[in-house]
Amino acid sequence: MSSADLRDLYQQVIMDHNKKPRNFRDMGDANHLAHGNNPLCGDALIIYLKLDGDVIEDVSFQGSGCAISVASASLMTEALKGKTLAEAEVLYEQVHKQMTGEEVDHSTLGKLEVLGGVKEFPARVKCATLSWHTVHAAMDSDHDISVTTE
Amino acid sequence: MSALDILAIRKDFPILDQQVNGFDLAYLDNAASSQKPTQVIESIAEYYRQDNANVHRGVHRLSQRATDAYEASREKVRDFVNAKSDKEIVFVRGATEAINLVAQSFVRPQLNAGDEVLISHMEHHANIVPWQMICEQAGAQLKVIPMTLKGELDLSGLDELLNDKTKILAVGHVSNALGTVNPIKEMIIKAHAKNIPVLIDGAQAVPHMAVDVQDLDCDFYVFSGHKMFAPTGIGALYAKQDLLEDMAPWQGGGDMILSVSFEHTQYNELPYKFEAGTPNIAGSIGLGAAIDYMNELGIDKLAKYEHDLLVAATAKLKAIDGIRIIGEAEDKASVLSFMIDGVHPHDVGTIFDQQGVAIRTGHHCAQPVMQFYGIPATARASFAFYNTMEEVDALVEAIKKVQELFA
């Protein structure tokens, strides 16, 4: 851990996505929905999905949380729009590999690589993965479901 | 009164002398757990080096020494809280276990459907959940004394809340989330006027102030060792003797009995009736050593110094734009909860850690308090007598760093 690590963690893209989260809205016509909770630090998110067959036509989120969780959710919605469920599953796995320091496919991850710095801060990994756990639950279920990172 | 020699005191705490990320560690998370002086550490090591054996049962020399050390610690605890008799001091794992013991052994047997248990809005979960559990079992109701934005208890409705259905009043001496010191002596008088017993959660009080259970006249007082410079896994329940005599045992097993047969088992006398199994002997010795350490420095001196730190830190934080202090009671212990505008406490904690400043961010096991203020969490700095004004400055620097990053 070092100041360089801190700069990596809170780098420009993350700060930007925290300040101006993308797709931060309710979705009236969502057909999948999940609540995600990080009870340790009070992050609480709702992920809305509109699936058209197996394509993610729209994804948005609401809620509040630390900069890492909000930025991660915002980046996630950008990455998932227009993807198929299968592609989303691949991204989900890649994000987790990144958190545990395993080899990742850079071209697949794209912008999501900015979250790489989180792995130097083990206590914050759950913040970064909360939105992904939540959307994963939403993808798997067709009724309101809750997940918690404990 | 002569001032404390803080630099000399800090030498007793070698753990404080380290760096995090190139910064001197500023350990400001004492409300979560405190550091232990060498004297406490050595007392435990010496016990295991010289005197370790099981207590109460053996006739050999080591067993005698271990028993003497264990019981000597009990006497130190008795004196520490000014209890009348050491029959009134039960060693437990900590405040949480003590509260569960009272809830299950004292209140539950007399709790009927429609009865009430009264707590306050600013309690730690340890002084909420055990009561919720027994209320659910019995069909009783949990009532809550409200709090004010300032972070004090709103006692205007106390007379109604203390009624003939109330079986116990359980309230914290000092709030771990807000630092508020509650007017428990007055509350105990009011409760006793209606024959309602009172349990006081003193976990956050005993590190900061002298406690006199006879003067308070509380029926139960609980605290944990690890918050007062003693090891984890040890704490104490003070309870008035006549209450303990009537209470059913908490846990069954060895040591809490006089005799066992399949036809009939006779329970032991106080306080052993409530101490089943081999106790945390080393822990109790550490607790006794911590009490000795505090007494030698002078608890009033420690309290005064901590108060000075709190006043200085509060003033410095108030002078920074964008800082909101949570909990501004007139009477506070050295706990300072705050928020930095526009920054989630969890982010505050990580950036602070990078600057070597250890604080706690989260709900502090007091979610109802967070719900009251409509916030997910706070950042909390909590001071002990080994913290310094330089560390207060480090706290201020860390705040500025956060505001820089999030500008």
Side-chain angles (χ1 to χ4, degrees):
Chain A
M1 275 207 267
S2 67
S3 289
D5 287 333
L6 192 71
R7 271 200 309 277
D8 278 343
L9 180 61
Y10 288 101
Q11 48 124 296
Q12 275 305 101
V13 175
I14 290 184
M15 298 307 268
D16 179 42
H17 276 259
N18 175 49
K19 262 208 188 114
K20 299 189 216 104
R22 320 311 196 233
N23 300 303
F24 185 67
R25 53 183 158 79
D26 240 315
M27 194 193 294
D29 56 346
N31 49 24
H32 286 244
L33 192 163
H35 294 260
N37 223 314
N38 186 349
L40 222 68
C41 69
D43 301 328
L45 300 175
I46 309 175
I47 308 289
Y48 303 93
L49 280 181
K50 185 153 76 164
L51 292 181
D52 181 12
D54 76 328
V55 175
I56 299 172
E57 198 185 295
D58 197 10
V59 51
S60 71
F61 76 106
Q62 287 277 265
S64 70
C66 62
I68 305 302
S69 69
V70 170
S72 180
S74 170
L75 286 161
M76 180 191 79
T77 63
E78 280 194 332
L80 288 184
K81 248 199 238 192
K83 296 280 194 298
T84 64
L85 289 175
E87 289 168 329
E89 189 69 39
V90 168
L91 274 175
Y92 175 69
E93 274 156 33
Q94 286 288 298
V95 165
H96 275 88
K97 282 205 163 130
Q98 191 179 221
M99 290 299 138
T100 55
E102 292 173 56
E103 270 299 308
V104 292
D105 180 356
H106 302 280
S107 55
T108 314
L109 269 182
K111 209 172 181 187
L112 293 172
E113 276 218 59
V114 302
L115 290 168
V118 179
K119 66 177 176 292
E120 303 304 324
F121 297 83
R124 306 305 302 280
V125 167
K126 281 180 178 163
C127 306
T129 56
L130 176 64
S131 53
W132 288 92
H133 278 296
T134 312
V135 81
H136 201 240
M139 276 161 38
D140 278 348
S141 136
D142 59 5
H143 57 272
D144 198 333
I145 186 173
S146 274
V147 295
T148 151
T149 59
E150 264 301 286
Chain B
M1 91 180 138
S2 63
L4 296 170
D5 184 348
I6 301 300
L7 289 183
I9 286 171
R10 282 178 72 90
K11 288 205 171 71
D12 288 337
F13 294 83
I15 196 171
L16 298 175
D17 184 22
Q18 59 178 285
Q19 300 218 311
V20 172
N21 232 16
F23 291 88
D24 287 337
L25 169 68
Y27 185 78
L28 302 180
D29 194 19
N30 294 286
S33 197
S34 61
Q35 302 302 345
K36 330 298 170 196
T38 319
Q39 290 86 332
V40 167
I41 300 168
E42 275 308 304
S43 74
I44 297 166
E46 266 309 287
Y47 164 72
Y48 280 123
R49 276 191 211 116
Q50 300 286 347
D51 300 329
N52 177 53
N54 210 327
V55 294
H56 297 143
R57 290 189 213 85
V59 292
H60 59 80
R61 182 67 54 89
L62 290 186
S63 166
Q64 196 56 54
R65 289 213 296 258
T67 302
D68 289 345
Y70 182 64
E71 294 303 331
S73 292
R74 188 190 309 276
E75 166 57 27
K76 287 179 184 174
V77 173
R78 183 209 62 74
D79 178 69
F80 184 61
V81 299
N82 195 33
K84 247 187 259 175
S85 151
D86 56 15
K87 290 191 204 291
E88 297 179 315
I89 303 295
V90 177
F91 278 125
V92 286
R93 253 176 29 215
T96 301
E97 180 165 59
I99 296 172
N100 276 279
L101 191 164
V102 174
Q104 293 289 343
S105 273
F106 176 68
V107 183
R108 176 73 183 91
Q110 22 166 333
L111 200 63
N112 299 308
D115 284 341
E116 295 178 1
V117 170
L118 182 59
I119 61 171
S120 91
H121 203 124
M122 63 170 78
E123 295 310 311
H124 183 288
H125 297 164
N127 206 19
I128 300 176
V129 182
W131 307 115
Q132 284 178 319
M133 284 164 63
I134 62 167
C135 282
E136 200 180 302
Q137 287 164 11
Q141 262 222 302
L142 190 68
K143 300 298 275 261
V144 180
I145 302 170
M147 56 180 284
T148 67
L149 271 174
K150 222 175 156 187
E152 293 169 331
L153 289 180
D154 175 2
L155 299 176
S156 59
L158 188 58
D159 287 329
E160 283 76 50
L161 286 167
L162 289 169
N163 60 57
D164 53 15
K165 293 203 173 50
T166 315
K167 283 294 186 287
I168 193 162
L169 165 65
V171 74
H173 195 163
V174 173
S175 160
N176 71 308
L178 305 170
T180 309
V181 180
N182 287 320
I184 55 171
K185 193 164 171 187
E186 290 75 33
M187 294 172 75
I188 291 166
I189 290 170
K190 287 205 160 171
H192 283 174
K194 300 187 177 176
N195 287 320
I196 297 168
V198 183
L199 175 142
I200 300 294
D201 174 4
Q204 210 57 233
V206 293
H208 303 296
M209 59 188 66
V211 170
D212 185 336
V213 296
Q214 289 190 67
D215 180 58
L216 289 172
D217 196 30
C218 51
D219 302 277
F220 305 97
Y221 195 95
V222 310
F223 64 93
S224 302
H226 75 94
K227 295 208 201 271
M228 52 166 279
F229 322 106
T232 49
I234 189 78
L237 163 68
Y238 159 77
K240 287 184 178 168
Q241 187 166 340
D242 54 348
L243 297 177
L244 283 179
E245 298 282 12
D246 288 340
M247 279 159 64
W250 160 233
Q251 292 178 336
D255 235 16
M256 49 75 71
I257 43 84
L258 284 177
S259 66
V260 177
S261 77
F262 290 118
E263 289 72 42
H264 175 70
T265 283
Q266 214 188 344
Y267 297 132
N268 207 341
E269 304 158 359
L270 293 177
Y272 311 110
K273 186 170 85 169
F274 292 98
E275 295 183 359
T278 301
N280 183 356
I281 307 163
S284 76
I285 287 166
L287 179 57
I291 290 171
D292 288 339
Y293 187 82
M294 290 178 77
N295 282 334
E296 204 174 301
L297 289 176
I299 296 183
D300 290 337
K301 281 192 198 172
L302 305 181
K304 162 107 186 42
Y305 176 68
E306 285 179 0
H307 185 75
D308 292 345
L309 283 178
L310 176 70
V311 167
T314 308
K316 290 189 185 200
L317 259 61
K318 278 193 152 155
I320 307 174
D321 259 325
I323 294 292
R324 178 182 161 200
I325 310 244
I326 311 287
E328 300 191 87
E330 292 299 322
D331 193 5
K332 277 183 68 170
S334 53
V335 166
L336 190 53
S337 257
F338 61 94
M339 301 193 74
I340 305 181
D341 281 350
V343 189
H344 193 280
H346 215 192
D347 296 309
V348 173
T350 297
I351 296 164
F352 271 42
D353 175 53
Q354 286 289 294
Q355 306 270 111
V357 179
I359 59 164
R360 182 139 301 235
T361 59
H363 53 63
H364 314 297
C365 293
Q367 287 184 316
V369 173
M370 301 299 126
Q371 286 151 17
F372 174 77
Y373 285 105
I375 52 184
T378 72
R380 180 190 70 185
S382 47
F383 304 98
F385 56 80
Y386 42 67
N387 292 125
T388 62
M389 287 295 175
E390 286 73 26
E391 290 174 323
V392 172
D393 289 335
L395 172 67
V396 171
E397 279 313 301
I399 290 174
K400 297 202 170 131
K401 176 85 194 229
V402 170
Q403 290 182 317
E404 235 177 73
L405 220 74
F406 275 76

